[in-house]
C-alpha cells in the first residue's frame, strides 16, 4: 500500500469518517503536560484528544464480577441495544478475547489500545484479567494495555499490573467524602464481608487514594472518571478534581449520569436526573483551572470496538470471528499507520 505525503509541517486534520462528532473536540493542548506523559498518551484515543481522530481502541469483556454496587450501574451481559458502561453483548473467556483482539487488529489497522473495563471490575476478576493481558503481551506486543477500575483492589494488585505491562489506568472516583459516597455506593465487598453505607464508602475512598499514589509513583499515567450526579456530588466534584490533581492524576473526565428507568439502575428507577449540558459545561470549566479536562468521552460499552463515536462491536461477535482467518502476528499495515501519525511533521492521505 503506497502512502502519499501531502505536506510537511502542516497541522494534522481529521478525515471524514473518523467518528468524532463532538462540538467540544478541539485543540489537545498536550504541550501543557510533562514530556514523558505526552509520549505515553500520544496514541491513546481516550487519553489524548488529538489521538482519537486517528487511533482506535477496543475493550474485551472478560471481567463479569464486581466488588461494589453503584446506584448508577446495572451490568448486562447479553445486550446489544444499550450504549453505556457496564453493558456487553457477550462475556468472553481470555482465549476468546485474544482471538477477538487479533481479528480486530487485522481488520482495523488504527487499533493502538486494548482495554479491560468490565462489565464488572477487572481487578475483581484478577485471574481472567491478567491471563488475558499476558497472552496479548505475547501475541500482540505492539498494543498498549489499559485498565479501568473502581480502585478497591488497586493497591493489592499494583505489582501485577506492572508485571503485565499495563501502561494506562483509569480510576472511577466519585467522591472523597464517605457521607457523599454513601449516597452513591450502597455496599462494597471487602475481605469476604459486605460493608454498607459510609463505612464501605470510606474503605473504597482510602483504597482509591492509595492506588492513585502508587500508580503515580510507578510512572503510570492515571485518568480519573467521575459521574456527575446533580444534588449528590456535583458541587463536591470540584474538591475531587483538586485532590486528584494534587495526587498526580493528569486528566479528569467528568461524565454525565446516565439514568433511565429502562436501564434498571437505582438512580434510573427513582428518577434521579442527570446534569444538563450547560451544568456539565459549567462544572468542567470550573474544574479546568485545577485539572486538564477530558471533553471527548463517549461513555463506551465494555465491549466497544473502533474509533470513538464509531462503535463496530457488532461486526466482531464470537460467531463472526470464528469465520475469520486470524493471523497472530501484528499487522504491518497497522504498525505503519500508527508510525505515520506519530511523525508530527507529516500530513498523510490514505
Amino acid at each position: 500500500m503506497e502512502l502519499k505525503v501531502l505536506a510537511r509541517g502542516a497541522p494534522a486534520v481529521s478525515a471524514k469518517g473518523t467518528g468524532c462528532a463532538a462540538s467540544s473536540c478541539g485543540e489537545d493542548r498536550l504541550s501543557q503536560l510533562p514530556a514523558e506523559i505526552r509520549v505515553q498518551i500520544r496514541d491513546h484515543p481516550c487519553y489524548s484528544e488529538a489521538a482519537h481522530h486517528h487511533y482506535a481502541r477496543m475493550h474485551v469483556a472478560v471481567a463479569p464480577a464486581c466488588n461494589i454496587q453503584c446506584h448508577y450501574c446495572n451490568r448486562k451481559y447479553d445486550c446489544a441495544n444499550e450504549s453505556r458502561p457496564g453493558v456487553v453483548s457477550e462475556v468472553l473467556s481470555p482465549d476468546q478475547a485474544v482471538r477477538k483482539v487479533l481479528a480486530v487488529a487485522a481488520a482495523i489497522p488504527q487499533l493502538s489500545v486494548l482495554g479491560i473495563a468490565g462489565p464488572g471490575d477487572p481487578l475483581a476478576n484478577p485471574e481472567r484479567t491478567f491471563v488475558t493481558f499476558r497472552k496479548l503481551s505475547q501475541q500482540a506486543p505492539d498494543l498498549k494495555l489499559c485498565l479501568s477500575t473502581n480502585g478497591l483492589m488497586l493497591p493489592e494488585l499494583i505489582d501485577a499490573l506492572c508485571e503485565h505491562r499495563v501502561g494506562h489506568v483509569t480510576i472511577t472516583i466519585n467522591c472523597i467524602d464517605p457521607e457523599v459516597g454513601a449516597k452513591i455506593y450502597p455496599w462494597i465487598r471487602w475481605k469476604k464481608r459486605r460493608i454498607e453505607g459510609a463505612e464501605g464508602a470510606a474503605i473504597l475512598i482510602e483504597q482509591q487514594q492509595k492506588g492513585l499514589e502508587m500508580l503515580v509513583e510507578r510512572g503510570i499515567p492515571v485518568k480519573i472518571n467521575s459521574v456527575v450526579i446533580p444534588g449528590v456530588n456535583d458541587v463536591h466534584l470540584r474538591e475531587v478534581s483538586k485532590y486528584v490533581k494534587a495526587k498526580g492524576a493528569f486528566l479528569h473526565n467528568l461524565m454525565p449520569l446516565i439514568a433511565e428507568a429502562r436501564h434498571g439502575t437505582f438512580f434510573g428507577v427513582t428518577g434521579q436526573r442527570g446534569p444538563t449540558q450547560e451544568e456539565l459545561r459549567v462544572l468542567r470549566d470550573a474544574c479546568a483551572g485545577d485539572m486538564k479536562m477530558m471533553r471527548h468521552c463517549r461513555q463506551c460499552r465494555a465491549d466497544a470496538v473502533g474509533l470513538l463515536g464509531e462503535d463496530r462491536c457488532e461486526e466482531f461477535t464470537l460467531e463472526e470471528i470464528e469465520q475469520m482467518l486470524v493471523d497472530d502476528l501484528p499487522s504491518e499495515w497497522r504498525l505503519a499507520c500508527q508510525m505515520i501519525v506519530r511523525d508530527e511533521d507529516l500530513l498523510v492521505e490514505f
Side-chain angles (χ1 to χ4, degrees):
M1 177 182 177
E2 184 176 352
L3 301 178
K4 179 182 177 183
V5 178
L6 298 181
R8 294 185 179 273
V13 295
S14 61
K16 293 181 180 179
T18 56
C20 178
S23 60
S24 60
C25 179
E27 183 184 0
D28 203 21
R29 300 196 303 275
L30 291 185
S31 60
Q32 298 178 2
L33 300 174
E36 63 272 17
I37 296 293
R38 295 202 303 272
V39 170
Q40 289 172 288
I41 70 170
R42 63 187 175 186
D43 52 4
H44 194 307
C46 302
Y47 281 52
S48 166
E49 200 165 324
H52 88 278
H53 293 292
H54 307 284
Y55 294 102
R57 77 337 183 189
M58 72 175 293
H59 299 160
V60 289
V62 298
C66 198
N67 46 16
I68 71 174
Q69 179 60 54
C70 305
H71 277 325
Y72 54 76
C73 183
N74 179 25
R75 298 184 304 281
K76 294 185 179 180
Y77 307 144
D78 184 18
C79 179
N81 302 318
E82 296 179 20
S83 182
R84 59 181 177 87
V87 170
V88 298
S89 294
E90 50 198 356
V91 175
L92 307 177
S93 70
D95 285 337
Q96 289 171 329
V98 170
R99 181 173 177 82
K100 181 174 181 177
V101 171
L102 297 177
V104 171
I108 303 178
Q110 301 98 326
L111 184 68
S112 64
V113 174
L114 181 282
I116 300 178
D121 189 273
L123 300 185
N125 304 259
E127 183 175 354
R128 295 170 65 92
T129 295
F130 291 126
V131 167
T132 304
F133 280 150
R134 184 163 58 251
K135 289 176 178 288
L136 284 170
S137 291
Q138 297 167 352
Q139 299 190 49
D142 58 302
L143 294 181
K144 293 180 180 293
L145 301 182
C146 183
L147 178 141
S148 182
T149 177
N150 59 45
L152 183 60
M153 294 303 298
L154 191 49
E156 284 70 19
L157 294 171
I158 187 77
D159 290 336
L161 285 175
C162 295
E163 290 169 8
H164 288 81
R165 73 175 191 87
V166 176
H168 304 77
V169 175
T170 295
I171 311 173
T172 298
I173 299 180
N174 293 315
C175 60
I176 54 175
D177 181 341
E179 295 302 322
V180 176
K183 300 175 184 178
I184 302 171
Y185 310 108
W187 56 262
I188 69 168
R189 181 73 64 181
W190 177 246
K191 297 184 177 179
K192 300 182 179 181
R193 294 176 53 220
R194 175 172 162 146
I195 303 176
E196 300 180 349
E199 181 184 0
I203 294 170
L204 175 62
I205 291 167
E206 181 180 6
Q207 290 290 101
Q208 291 172 336
Q209 294 174 357
K210 285 182 183 177
L212 171 56
E213 292 175 355
M214 295 170 79
L215 288 168
V216 172
E217 287 173 358
R218 287 161 174 76
I220 297 176
V222 182
K223 173 169 70 74
I224 303 299
N225 282 353
S226 298
V227 179
V228 180
I229 311 166
V232 177
N233 72 341
D234 50 342
V235 175
H236 176 62
L237 283 174
R238 301 187 186 200
E239 295 179 48
V240 173
S241 196
K242 291 178 181 179
Y243 181 87
V244 296
K245 179 182 181 182
K247 291 295 183 180
F250 85 96
L251 185 64
H252 197 183
N253 178 22
L254 295 171
M255 308 182 298
L257 171 70
I258 300 174
E260 298 181 24
R262 65 186 178 90
H263 295 156
T265 65
F266 176 85
F267 280 150
V269 171
T270 58
Q272 170 66 50
R273 73 173 182 88
T276 66
Q277 285 298 313
E278 179 63 14
E279 288 171 333
L280 193 61
R281 183 194 65 78
V282 169
L283 180 59
R284 285 172 172 167
D285 289 348
C287 294
D290 298 304
M291 168 67 81
K292 178 176 170 57
M293 292 289 110
M294 178 178 181
R295 299 177 187 262
H296 63 286
C297 177
R298 297 293 176 272
Q299 293 181 275
C300 303
R301 290 165 55 103
D303 57 1
V305 174
L307 296 162
L308 266 66
E310 195 173 86
D311 194 7
R312 297 174 58 183
C313 65
E314 292 183 2
E315 299 176 33
F316 299 96
T317 63
L318 288 178
E319 183 178 357
E320 291 290 336
I321 64 174
E322 285 301 322
Q323 307 304 317
M324 296 179 182
L325 177 64
V326 176
D327 188 348
D328 64 355
L329 294 176
S331 162
E332 293 181 1
W333 186 20
R334 181 174 80 254
L335 293 174
C337 288
Q338 292 177 10
M339 291 179 67
I340 288 164
V341 180
R342 286 175 186 165
D343 185 347
E344 298 175 355
D345 291 331
L346 299 178
L347 179 65
V348 178
E349 180 182 64
F350 292 89

